[in-house]
Amino acid sequence: MSSKLQSLLFALVLIASFYYWGAYFAATILALSFLIFFHELGHFIVAKLLGVAVNVFSVGFGAPVFERKFGSTKYRISAIWLGGYVQLKGQDDARPELRNYDKDSYNTLSPLGRIAVLFAGPAFNIILAFFLYIAVGVLGIEKLAPNIGQIVPNSPAINILQKGDKITAINGTTITHWDEIKPLLKTEPMSVEILRDGQKLSLNLTPKIMESKNIFGENVLTPMLGIGASGELVTLYFSGFELVNFALDETIKASKLIYQSLEKLVLGVVPINQLGGIVAMADITTKAAAISLSTLFIITALISVNLGILNLLPLPVLDGGHIVFNLYEMIFRRPVGERVFVVLSYGSMALLFSLMAFTIANDIYRLAGGYE
């Protein structure tokens, strides 16, 4: 495909995107482009620190739409806005058979040095997510208030708790929002402090094992009180060490969620038609931007963690695959055979682009109402 045709297609995609999502799509472009930039910046910085020459720093693939050269590095924005890359001297995923052993080449690094360069990209995405959650904590995050909106019949809460009650503490632990309740529930007697009609009350009740659904739609058995939230919201703000703990906790939870989602996908719990790609990311991010800056940062942080974790998967075309190759070299004192390396690289490249094409088609079908 010629450079002009790629640029034309890129322009048409942008026009169609703005037509569908409106002006808030600009926030999506900035957010996703920055995520890619920050990921590649990780590779770039560590490579430079280890003396490796960087030939190209690109946001996007394909023909350059914009390019400037500073020093020995070409900085560009490319036509196919579905990722990005840093092309190090001696390392080119598009042509894995080519090697270079000059002094400033990636190939002359030790396996541990190469792993450091590879790991830096995903690590920068995790770090970026942490700082985005810092911003969210300062701006304020909306959570469900710990106000009871419904009582399940024949549950531990029946005849003890009432609609409109506000839970303020459980066994002496202060409750500020609804999500803090569930982790404190056990199948043993507990003290629940509530605010009812302006009065503070301390009530005793014992949760029991009940069936509910988790975020993946699975039926699970868990200790419950048998209450539902009223739907009211509370805005939480953080500062100092509390802010750092909030950001760290949210980053860890987001990372675990990605791993759990991958596990559920492999086990068939999450159907393959739920897979989303760049179109789904654009849709969610644009809608988040229309809600608030805080919501946009939350979604961007989650996508950043997603980008970091998925890049560590052991596919040869991804950072994780290259890390596995270098671990092999560290353990067996010899690199992976060139033929094996090339075949696996091209094979995983074909798999990745096929998956990308599927998710784009699946996203468009979903947005068009195909699964309704």
Side-chain angles (χ1 to χ4, degrees):
M1 185 183 296
S2 68
S3 299
K4 288 184 178 180
L5 182 56
Q6 287 183 356
S7 299
L8 177 60
L9 288 175
F10 178 69
L12 290 174
V13 168
L14 281 181
I15 292 170
S17 299
F18 274 106
Y19 177 79
Y20 181 81
W21 283 298
Y24 284 108
F25 182 67
T28 297
I29 293 176
L30 291 174
L32 297 185
S33 296
F34 186 72
L35 290 184
I36 296 166
F37 167 79
F38 210 76
H39 177 96
E40 299 305 330
L41 183 63
H43 294 310
F44 178 85
I45 290 175
V46 175
K48 284 289 191 180
L49 288 174
L50 294 177
V52 177
V54 179
N55 296 329
V56 179
F57 188 126
S58 176
V59 175
F61 293 102
V65 176
F66 172 85
E67 181 176 284
R68 287 290 183 272
K69 186 172 184 180
F70 296 97
S72 61
T73 305
K74 293 178 181 178
Y75 299 87
R76 65 173 60 149
I77 297 175
S78 299
I80 305 175
W81 184 59
L82 296 174
Y85 63 94
V86 165
Q87 187 185 92
L88 307 178
K89 186 175 183 179
Q91 195 262 339
D92 188 351
D93 287 334
R95 294 180 294 174
E97 70 279 4
L98 298 182
R99 300 289 181 97
N100 182 289
Y101 294 94
D102 291 342
K103 185 179 179 180
D104 58 350
S105 172
Y106 167 83
N107 299 121
T108 58
L109 291 177
S110 67
L112 191 59
R114 285 180 237 138
I115 288 174
V117 173
L118 294 164
F119 185 74
F124 263 52
N125 278 125
I126 305 299
I127 292 169
L128 176 59
F130 172 80
F131 283 110
L132 285 169
Y133 283 123
I134 288 284
V136 169
V138 173
L139 291 170
I141 179 172
E142 286 190 335
K143 296 275 191 178
L144 282 173
N147 300 339
I148 299 174
Q150 59 178 334
I151 307 289
V152 177
N154 302 317
S155 68
I158 201 76
N159 299 323
I160 300 177
L161 297 175
Q162 299 178 8
K163 292 181 181 179
D165 287 349
K166 178 181 180 179
I167 299 177
T168 59
I170 294 178
N171 287 337
T173 300
T174 302
I175 301 297
T176 58
H177 60 89
W178 189 266
D179 292 341
E180 292 178 320
I181 298 173
K182 186 176 180 180
L184 297 175
L185 302 184
K186 299 178 181 178
T187 53
E188 56 188 42
M190 53 188 283
S191 171
V192 180
E193 295 178 24
I194 65 168
L195 192 63
R196 177 184 296 169
D197 297 326
Q199 293 186 326
K200 294 181 179 180
L201 300 175
S202 182
L203 308 172
N204 295 315
L205 66 165
T206 303
K208 72 176 183 179
I209 299 297
M210 300 174 67
E211 187 177 89
S212 64
K213 288 187 179 294
N214 62 17
I215 60 172
F216 302 106
E218 297 175 291
N219 292 322
V220 293
L221 297 175
T222 184
M224 298 179 69
L225 293 175
I227 57 177
S230 66
E232 297 174 65
L233 298 174
V234 59
T235 302
L236 305 177
Y237 300 92
F238 301 89
S239 60
F241 287 113
E242 190 180 41
L243 176 61
V244 174
N245 288 334
F246 163 77
L248 184 60
D249 184 56
E250 291 298 316
T251 304
I252 293 172
K253 286 195 296 187
S255 300
K256 288 181 178 178
L257 179 61
I258 302 303
Y259 277 117
Q260 290 170 350
S261 300
L262 288 171
E263 178 188 3
K264 299 301 181 183
L265 183 64
V266 171
L267 294 176
V269 174
V270 177
I272 196 168
N273 62 21
Q274 294 300 308
L275 274 176
I278 187 67
V279 177
M281 287 184 189
D283 183 58
I284 294 170
T285 308
T286 304
K287 290 175 180 176
I291 296 172
S292 69
L293 183 60
S294 180
T295 305
L296 173 63
F297 282 175
I298 291 171
I299 295 300
T300 305
L302 185 59
I303 294 174
S304 188
V305 171
N306 189 32
L307 183 61
I309 298 298
L310 293 183
N311 263 282
L312 289 174
L313 291 178
L315 287 173
V317 76
L318 300 177
D319 296 324
H322 287 290
I323 289 173
V324 170
F325 284 144
N326 283 286
L327 287 174
Y328 175 92
E329 186 173 341
M330 288 178 65
I331 295 170
F332 296 100
R333 305 292 180 180
R334 66 176 185 273
V336 174
E338 184 175 336
R339 183 176 179 183
V340 172
F341 177 77
V342 172
V343 169
L344 288 177
S345 294
Y346 280 121
S348 65
M349 199 180 301
L351 175 63
L352 190 64
F353 278 109
S354 297
L355 183 60
M356 190 180 296
F358 170 78
T359 56
I360 290 173
N362 193 49
D363 288 342
I364 293 173
Y365 184 69
R366 186 189 300 113
L367 291 176
Y371 292 119
E372 294 178 359

